[in-house]
């Protein structure tokens, strides 16, 4: 895979570590923001995750003007418009999104409306529509997987038309991402596992897709190593602060990697499965990753073989003949998937999820072929190919 040209862009300040949250007031003040609004969901608030954020601001004499805590798992244009209304009414001047993918995407979309004006978020959908920097925006992820804190996209459902609206602009990137292990200490095991496998998939697909480049490669391999080294120990010891920080950083690094390269067939299948069967995204990633890599194998033998080093460490890497390393990487990922099943019953097959029926596979295959992620898969995918991968993932 050679490249005549590539771009790499990540202007997000990353503030990471065990006291990262305490730095939020300093960052707000640095952008002359005095009246922040928090955008979050009920689960985050109930888990007490806002408390350290609020305490840090209070200690610095900075008032959180208002907290919107009702972001649904699949955010909509109505929710975005309502939050923008509150922001304006309360004369806020900045946004702190605290949560998983939905709260972060909602924060990005609210920032478009309150910065650009109007009530109709749909008119800003698409790529490159936004032309100006937006209001100060901070993201505190409470899951470790999506990488949304470093991606220039948001997806919001337009419920009147029943479609998902994509928004793409580098202005959606937050001013800072605050990566604090306290935010993920209480994540339930199956969510820890599934979201970490989303991060792993971002890294592996970024490293093997058509648009890979030397800079995204560096972030991708570092992310694979961190997930490989820390995920199972965090599953065994959920309060392991250092391990949690490793996974959270891996998620951010994998996010930087794939947003500067791309993903591939795992994501195309995952998006379709999410839409049709409402299966969590991270779980889909874990289910499909080994089978897609098998499908792509001959096209990605070399980079996939290189991943054996971050996946299994130097001893296994050097003991494995170069010609067998790609297969060994797939085995390592299968082993990880099986270990996660052992620890939290994370399903290993579509059938095990209990939410997919075999007669839905054709529909999933058809929808996956229309997904944008498939364009960057290293090997071209026909409908029959997609069906065959799904069949392998079935049981
Ligand atoms: Fe993903």
């Amino acid at each position: 895979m050679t490249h005549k040209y590539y771009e790499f862009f990540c202007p997000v300040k990353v503030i990471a570590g065990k006291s990262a949250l305490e730095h939020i007031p300093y960052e707000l003040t640095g952008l002359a923001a005095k009246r922040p609004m928090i955008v979050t969901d009920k689960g985050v608030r109930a888990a007490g995750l806002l408390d350290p954020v609020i305490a840090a601001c209070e200690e610095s004499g900075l008032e959180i003007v208002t907290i919107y805590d009702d972001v649904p798992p699949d955010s909509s244009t109505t929710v975005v418009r309502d939050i923008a209304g509150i922001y304006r009414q309360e004369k806020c001047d900045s946004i702190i999104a605290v949560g998983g993918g939905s709260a972060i995407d909602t924060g990005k979309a609210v920032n478009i409306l309150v910065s650009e004006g109007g009530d109709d978020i749909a008119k800003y959908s698409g790529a490159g529509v936004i032309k100006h920097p937006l209001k100060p925006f901070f993201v505190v992820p409470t899951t470790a997987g999506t990488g949304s804190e470093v991606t220039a996209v948001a997806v919001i459902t337009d419920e009147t038309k029943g479609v998902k609206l994509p928004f793409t602009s580098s202005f959606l990137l937050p001013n800072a991402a605050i990566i604090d292990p306290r935010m993920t200490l209480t994540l339930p095991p199956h969510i820890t596992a599934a979201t970490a496998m989303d991060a792993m998939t971002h890294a592996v697909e970024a490293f093997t897709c058509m648009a890979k480049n030397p800079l995204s490669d560096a972030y991708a391999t570092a992310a694979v190593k961190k997930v490989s080294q820390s995920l199972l120990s965090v599953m065994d010891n959920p309060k392991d602060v250092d391990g949690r920080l490793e996974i959270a950083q891996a998620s951010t690094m994998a996010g930087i990697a794939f947003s500067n390269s791309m993903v591939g067939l795992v994501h195309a299948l995952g998006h379709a499965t999410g839409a049709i069967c409402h299966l969590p995204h991270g779980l889909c990633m874990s289910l499909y990753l080994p089978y897609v890599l098998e499908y792509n194998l001959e096209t990605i033998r070399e980079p996939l073989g290189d991943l054996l080093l971050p996946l299994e460490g130097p001893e296994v890497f050097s003991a494995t003949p170069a010609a067998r390393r790609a297969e060994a990487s797939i085995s390592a990922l299968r082993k990880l998937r099986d270990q996660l099943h052992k620890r939290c019953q994370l399903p290993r097959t579509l059938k095990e999820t209990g939410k997919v029926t075999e007669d839905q596979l054709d529909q999933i295959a058809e929808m996956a072929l229309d997904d944008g992620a498939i364009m960057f898969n290293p090997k071209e995918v026909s409908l029959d190919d997609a069906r065959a991968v799904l069949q392998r993932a079935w049981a």
Side-chain angles (χ1 to χ4, degrees):
M1 282 176 231
T2 53
H3 303 278
K4 290 188 175 137
Y5 166 78
Y6 71 89
E7 291 183 6
F8 184 94
F9 185 63
C10 184
V12 180
K13 180 171 181 179
V14 174
I15 298 162
K18 294 174 191 171
S19 57
L21 294 169
E22 278 70 23
H23 287 255
I24 292 176
Y26 176 79
E27 295 302 322
L28 283 164
T29 326
L31 293 169
K34 296 189 181 77
R35 299 182 59 79
M37 168 188 220
I38 289 182
V39 174
T40 189
D41 62 57
K42 292 242 187 288
V44 166
R45 194 168 198 177
L49 298 182
L50 296 187
D51 300 348
V53 180
I54 296 167
C57 288
E58 271 173 5
E59 248 168 60
S60 310
L62 199 79
E63 182 202 359
I64 304 279
V65 177
T66 183
I67 297 172
Y68 183 93
D69 69 359
D70 210 9
V71 174
D74 194 2
S75 195
S76 70
T77 49
T78 314
V79 173
V80 170
R81 196 181 53 220
D82 289 351
I83 303 174
I86 299 168
Y87 179 103
R88 290 177 184 128
Q89 196 185 322
E90 298 291 338
K91 298 191 169 40
C92 298
D93 61 9
S94 48
I95 298 168
I96 307 171
V98 185
S102 182
I104 298 171
D105 278 15
T106 303
K108 289 175 179 173
V110 169
N111 201 13
I112 297 173
L113 273 191
V114 299
S115 304
E116 294 277 315
D119 279 327
D120 182 13
I121 187 69
K123 81 176 192 202
Y124 299 104
S125 96
V129 180
I130 301 151
K131 304 289 184 206
H132 314 284
L134 309 180
K135 303 282 184 195
F137 177 48
F138 300 86
V139 169
V140 185
T142 59
T143 62
T146 67
S148 309
E149 67 279 10
V150 286
T151 66
V153 296
V155 178
I156 300 291
T157 301
D158 183 339
E159 70 259 86
T160 53
K161 297 199 180 104
V163 291
K164 288 196 178 227
L165 300 174
F167 300 84
T168 307
S169 164
S170 57
F171 295 123
L172 293 181
L173 288 163
N175 297 88
I178 294 95
I179 314 298
D180 193 307
R182 281 172 284 178
M183 295 288 104
T184 52
L185 279 181
T186 54
L187 268 187
H190 67 284
I191 297 183
T192 300
T195 48
M197 288 310 285
D198 188 21
M200 174 66 98
T201 306
H202 292 154
V204 172
E205 290 212 290
F207 195 76
T208 52
C209 77
M210 300 282 287
K212 79 197 248 61
N213 63 70
L215 294 182
S216 67
D217 283 355
Y219 283 91
T221 47
V224 169
K225 185 174 172 183
K226 284 191 187 305
V227 177
S228 303
Q229 288 186 338
S230 297
L231 180 54
L232 293 180
S233 63
V234 163
M235 295 299 295
D236 291 337
N237 179 15
K239 299 284 180 206
D240 169 8
V241 177
D242 294 315
R244 289 284 188 187
L245 181 58
E246 285 294 280
I247 303 288
Q249 291 173 125
S251 168
T252 302
M253 295 173 98
I256 294 171
F258 89 85
S259 59
N260 282 284
S261 55
M262 270 299 159
V263 281
L265 180 57
V266 186
H267 271 80
L269 291 169
H271 294 153
T273 313
I276 295 166
C277 311
H278 308 288
L279 221 55
H281 177 75
L283 171 57
C284 295
M285 300 298 99
S286 182
L287 291 173
Y288 292 136
L289 183 58
Y291 303 107
V292 168
L293 293 176
E294 278 175 5
Y295 171 75
N296 288 334
L297 180 61
E298 290 314 325
T299 324
I300 58 169
R301 187 166 273 287
E302 199 186 321
L304 187 56
D306 291 344
L307 284 183
L308 188 61
L309 181 60
L311 279 167
E312 290 276 43
E315 277 177 27
V316 172
F317 182 80
S318 57
T320 309
R324 299 290 307 157
R325 283 177 187 155
E327 283 88 348
S329 292
I330 299 176
S331 300
L333 289 163
R334 280 176 186 272
K335 207 169 65 187
L336 179 59
R337 177 200 65 184
D338 294 345
Q339 288 295 326
L340 293 173
H341 176 262
K342 220 183 217 172
R343 285 166 170 82
C344 70
Q345 291 76 52
L346 193 74
R348 293 160 297 186
T349 62
L350 284 171
K351 197 174 173 187
E352 268 181 5
T353 66
K355 288 187 177 172
V356 184
T357 57
E358 205 171 357
D359 58 10
Q360 287 176 310
L361 300 187
D362 272 359
Q363 200 191 344
I364 296 173
E366 274 166 37
M367 192 184 265
L369 283 203
D370 278 338
D371 191 276
I374 211 163
M375 278 168 35
F376 296 90
N377 193 66
K379 184 175 165 187
E380 211 164 319
V381 187
S382 71
L383 188 57
D384 280 345
D385 296 333
R387 280 197 192 117
V389 171
L390 286 164
Q391 205 60 55
R392 303 225 345 111
W394 169 249

